[in-house]
Amino acid sequence: MTAMLITEIQQAQLKGLFLSRTDRRALIVHILSELKTQRALLGNVPVDHFVWMDRLIARVSLMMAEIAGMEVAEFNRVLNEFEKLLATLDGLSRTVTRH
């Protein structure tokens, strides 16, 4: 699932100006959903290690309209950071579930 979302993020970055605010919001909702899934997959990790993630999810949820309305370059930078975060979390969750 994460790999498909990362591909979706990359495609959105290529679309740039052609991505509507509605499409941007839908992508952000999808990213938030995946972050929540990754958070659940890492359930064996102590809760205090993920306060930052809970805060990130809450903050992005509150700022969704502002993020969707960003200039293309700025929005792409945000997407790039989410892409890196999701790839890292996916790797961590794979490691945790193997042990």
Side-chain angles (χ1 to χ4, degrees):
M1 182 77 162
T2 302
M4 289 180 2
L5 178 55
I6 288 173
T7 299
E8 188 177 339
I9 290 170
Q10 292 167 344
Q11 290 172 345
Q13 289 174 312
L14 293 174
K15 289 180 184 176
L17 292 172
F18 304 108
L19 198 65
S20 71
R21 283 184 186 228
T22 302
D23 292 336
R24 288 177 175 204
R25 286 178 77 100
L27 180 58
I28 295 165
V29 167
H30 194 176
I31 290 169
L32 286 173
S33 175
E34 183 63 21
L35 286 173
K36 291 173 186 175
T37 298
Q38 289 295 326
R39 173 70 175 86
L41 289 173
L42 295 168
N44 296 337
V45 177
V47 174
D48 62 326
H49 286 54
F50 284 101
V51 171
W52 65 270
M53 192 169 180
D54 295 333
R55 287 183 182 159
L56 175 66
I57 291 168
R59 188 79 150 143
V60 171
S61 296
L62 290 173
M63 297 185 65
M64 197 174 313
E66 291 91 339
I67 295 169
M70 290 177 170
E71 296 292 325
V72 173
E74 188 176 12
F75 185 71
N76 281 347
R77 280 192 294 276
V78 170
L79 290 181
N80 187 49
E81 293 303 318
F82 277 127
E83 180 183 346
K84 290 189 277 187
L85 176 60
L86 289 167
T88 300
L89 291 172
D90 187 52
L92 286 172
S93 66
R94 289 174 194 258
T95 302
V96 169
T97 55
R98 277 190 228 139
H99 292 107

